[in-house]
């Protein structure tokens, strides 16, 4: 693709370099085997294999220009992040990061050059902020990190629901991690040098994901103009989830070595929002007036009862984490506590999200609806249905009350 889009000899040379980059992989492996002694050969091959695995892992974020643009600043920051005392000086690290970026751009030119060519011919850069910031993450949706019931299902007042969720489903159906994983993430935040870096990535991605609900989206777009080409800020929560998962892994690794005070502090920090949510769901009168509504004659107290039960189960799970954190006294925690916490951290979101994408039997799809008998074309195999239920700007101008005017 690079050679096909070439306009001069230099781009043609670049295309030939990319074609040969994959062909020399076998020669590089053979060279590594020849230059290393037999007792170190396994380590060298392990490093080569791990680097290949890391590249495949990073492909999760390089599958689209959006995630590439979101991940690239984090990778640059990681290259410049101060680490152990044996790391190269800052200027040398900056040079290495620049060289790595140049190599990455050359290797990925087959993807980003056509994308850049099409982007220049499009109007993506001229998209208004109101359109770009669609599907921003409401601040109340951060409760989904702890609570398995999405905030979109809470009994919000109609106009408020329209302001928070814009009359549509969330772009990400769930950002739920579970309380055990968050407790481990708080503990992993203390692990240097990688813990503070992942914490900063998680905070920055969350701030960007808030979009129109906070000032950080505009700040990031001003500092990094390519981010202004991206739509739907809430997709940045994928990068935040990657950082939180990394923090949880660091916390799990440091669980047995950490002191009891550190383990208890991490568990309490994760338990606090669950306790606050349980109190709010059990006492609807504490909510400000106008936030909740009755639905089909069902009072907000009855509507919040299932949410309170979910919050109570989360609090119970948090108390179990506290019990594990207090095990061992001032000595390091027993190894079995780490295994139990690992099972809880993996099992909690797995059980909570098992019905996130429900499925039906094959008979449902083989059944031909009788409605199709109204269409004369018997050979048609597909029926496209379009949903134009979102209010237009002219309708909002006539009815400023939003969806309430169309009840």
């Amino acid at each position: 693709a690079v050679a096909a889009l070439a306009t001069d000899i230099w781009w043609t040379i670049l295309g030939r370099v990319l074609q040969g980059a994959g062909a020399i992989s076998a020669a590089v492996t053979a060279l590594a085997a020849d230059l290393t002694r037999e007792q170190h050969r396994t380590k060298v091959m392990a490093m080569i294999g791990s680097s290949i695995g890391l590249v495949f892992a990073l492909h999760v974020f390089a599958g689209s220009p959006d995630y590439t643009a979101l991940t690239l600043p984090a990778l640059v920051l990681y290259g410049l992040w101060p680490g152990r005392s044996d790391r190269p000086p800052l200027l040398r690290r900056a040079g290495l990061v620049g060289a790595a970026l140049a190599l990455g751009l050359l290797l990925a030119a087959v993807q980003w050059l056509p994308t850049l060519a099409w982007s220049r011919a499009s109007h993506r850069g001229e998209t208004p902020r109101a359109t770009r910031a669609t599907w921003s993450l409401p601040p109340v949706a951060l409760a989904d990190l702890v609570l398995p019931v999405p905030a979109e299902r809470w009994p919000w007042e109609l106009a408020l629901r329209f302001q928070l969720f814009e009359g549509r489903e969330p772009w990400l159906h769930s950002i739920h991690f579970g309380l055990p994983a968050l407790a481990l993430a708080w503990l992993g935040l203390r692990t240097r040098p990688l813990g503070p870096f992942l914490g900063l990535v998680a905070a920055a991605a969350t701030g960007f994901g808030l979009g129109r609900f906070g000032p950080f989206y505009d700040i990031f777009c001003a500092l990094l103009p390519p981010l202004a080409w991206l739509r739907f800020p809430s997709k940045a929560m994928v990068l935040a989830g990657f950082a939180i998962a990394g923090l949880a892994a660091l916390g799990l690794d440091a669980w047995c070595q950490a002191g009891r005070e550190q383990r208890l502090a991490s568990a309490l920090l994760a338990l606090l929002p669950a306790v606050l949510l349980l109190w709010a769901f059990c006492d609807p009168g504490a909510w400000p007036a106008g936030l909740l509504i009755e639905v089909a004659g069902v009072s907000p107290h009855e509507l919040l009862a299932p949410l309170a039960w979910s919050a109570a189960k989360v609090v119970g799970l948090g108390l179990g984490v506290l019990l594990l954190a207090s095990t061992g006294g001032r000595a390091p925690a027993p190894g079995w506590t780490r295994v139990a916490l690992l099972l809880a951290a993996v099992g909690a979101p797995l059980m909570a999200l098992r019905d996130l994408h429900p499925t039906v039997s094959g008979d449902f799809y083989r059944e031909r609806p009788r409605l199709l008998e109204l269409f004369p074309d018997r050979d048609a195999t597909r029926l496209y249905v379009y949903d134009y239920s979102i209010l237009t700007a002219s309708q909002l101008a006539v009815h400023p009350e939003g969806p309430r005017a169309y009840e």
Side-chain angles (χ1 to χ4, degrees):
V2 176
L5 295 174
T7 56
D8 53 41
I9 186 61
W10 299 109
W11 286 108
T12 305
I13 293 175
L14 174 60
R16 294 295 297 167
V17 170
L18 291 176
Q19 290 174 356
I24 65 173
S25 59
V28 170
T29 305
L31 178 64
D34 292 338
L35 295 181
T36 55
R37 289 178 291 182
E38 187 174 355
Q39 57 267 33
H40 298 298
R41 193 165 299 160
T42 304
K43 300 178 183 178
V44 174
M45 294 303 173
M47 292 180 62
I48 295 176
S50 61
S51 64
I52 295 174
L54 178 62
V55 170
F56 274 101
L58 292 178
H59 280 177
V60 175
F61 300 107
S64 67
D66 293 0
Y67 285 115
T68 301
L70 289 172
T71 309
L72 189 59
L75 294 178
V76 173
L77 180 62
Y78 175 71
L80 301 177
W81 192 261
R84 301 184 304 270
S85 58
D86 58 345
R87 293 194 68 181
L90 178 60
L91 292 179
R92 186 178 177 184
R93 292 202 307 272
L96 293 174
V97 169
L101 286 176
L103 179 61
L105 289 175
L106 290 175
L107 294 177
V110 68
Q111 288 185 329
W112 66 262
L113 274 179
T115 303
L116 181 62
W118 282 103
S119 299
R120 287 180 173 178
S122 68
H123 298 283
R124 176 64 71 90
E126 302 174 1
T127 305
R129 180 186 181 277
T131 303
R132 288 188 282 109
T134 302
W135 260 313
S136 297
L137 184 73
V140 294
L142 293 177
D144 299 353
L145 292 171
V146 179
L147 194 67
V149 181
E152 188 267 340
R153 301 181 185 176
W154 299 4
W156 301 106
E157 193 270 336
L158 292 180
L160 179 60
R161 175 183 293 275
F162 188 80
Q163 294 175 7
L164 292 175
F165 303 101
E166 301 172 322
R168 63 184 72 191
E169 72 281 355
W171 195 85
L172 292 175
H173 286 279
S174 177
I175 58 173
H176 178 66
F177 268 86
L179 192 143
L182 294 178
L184 289 174
W186 280 112
L187 185 60
L189 198 59
R190 300 171 177 265
T191 305
R192 296 181 180 275
L194 198 55
F197 164 74
L198 290 176
L200 180 60
V201 171
T206 303
F208 183 86
L210 292 176
R212 61 187 180 90
F213 294 103
F216 304 102
Y217 175 77
D218 294 325
I219 294 175
F220 283 121
C221 290
L223 295 176
L224 301 171
L227 293 179
W229 288 25
L230 308 182
R231 295 180 300 172
F232 316 147
S234 60
K235 64 178 63 175
M237 292 305 297
V238 175
L239 180 59
F242 177 80
I244 294 175
L247 286 172
L250 291 177
L252 183 65
D253 188 55
W255 177 263
C256 290
Q257 289 74 27
R260 184 178 64 176
E261 292 78 9
Q262 294 179 347
R263 298 195 301 267
L264 288 174
S266 301
L268 287 173
L269 285 173
L271 181 60
L272 179 61
V275 173
L276 293 177
L277 287 172
L278 177 60
W279 168 76
F281 293 149
C282 291
D283 185 16
W287 293 62
L291 292 185
L292 305 178
I293 61 171
E294 293 186 0
V295 178
V298 182
S299 65
H301 187 276
E302 295 174 303
L303 293 172
L304 290 177
L307 299 177
W309 173 239
S310 297
K313 291 189 291 186
V314 172
V315 170
L317 189 60
L319 294 177
V321 174
L322 275 177
L323 181 61
L324 291 176
S326 61
T327 304
R330 295 187 177 274
W336 66 266
T337 61
R338 183 163 61 176
V339 176
L341 197 57
L342 173 61
L343 294 177
V346 175
L350 186 63
M351 295 299 295
L353 304 179
R354 66 185 185 276
D355 296 328
L356 183 61
H357 299 290
T359 58
V360 297
S361 63
D363 296 336
F364 176 83
Y365 297 100
R366 286 189 291 267
E367 178 74 18
R368 185 175 178 84
R370 297 188 61 183
L371 180 64
L372 297 180
E373 298 176 359
L374 300 176
F375 296 90
D377 189 358
R378 296 289 181 177
D379 297 330
T381 57
R382 293 183 181 181
L383 177 64
Y384 293 92
V385 179
Y386 295 90
D387 182 9
Y388 295 108
S389 60
I390 300 177
L391 300 182
T392 63
S394 59
Q395 290 173 314
L396 290 176
V398 176
H399 297 285
E401 295 179 355
R404 180 184 295 178
Y406 291 89
E407 290 179 322

